[in-house]
Amino acid sequence: MSETTITPTEIAQHYSAAMDSVNLINAGQPEGMTAEDWADCLARNKEHLKIMLAKDYWTTENMTPLEDASE
C-alpha cells in the first residue's frame, strides 16, 4: 500500500508505534541492560523515529515528541 492511500487507522497505528519509541527513549536505560545494549537500542529507536518523521501521511499529529526524541 502506498503512503498516499494510508488510512486514518493505519496512521494512528504508526503514530502509536512511534510514540512507543519516544517513551522507551525518554524512560532511560532499563536496570540490568548493559551500556552497549542500551546504545544499540537508542540508535535503533532514534532511526525509527527519523524514518517516521520523513513520512508524508501525517495530518494533525503532534510531531514534537518524535522530533525531540530523535535528536
Side-chain angles (χ1 to χ4, degrees):
M1 176 174 282
S2 73
E3 289 180 11
T4 55
T5 59
I6 194 165
T7 68
T9 300
E10 291 168 323
I11 292 171
Q13 290 169 339
H14 287 299
Y15 188 76
S16 177
M19 285 303 298
D20 287 344
S21 287
V22 169
N23 293 331
L24 185 144
I25 291 166
N26 290 341
Q29 182 176 343
E31 191 174 323
M33 180 180 274
T34 67
E36 182 180 356
D37 286 345
W38 176 239
D40 181 57
C41 180
L42 275 178
R44 284 185 282 111
N45 281 277
K46 287 183 178 196
E47 183 62 25
H48 173 237
L49 292 175
K50 289 175 186 173
I51 291 167
M52 296 312 291
L53 285 165
K55 301 296 182 182
D56 66 0
Y57 48 66
W58 302 116
T59 56
T60 61
E61 295 78 18
N62 180 2
M63 304 310 281
T64 302
L66 281 68
E67 293 164 349
D68 290 347
S70 70
E71 296 176 353

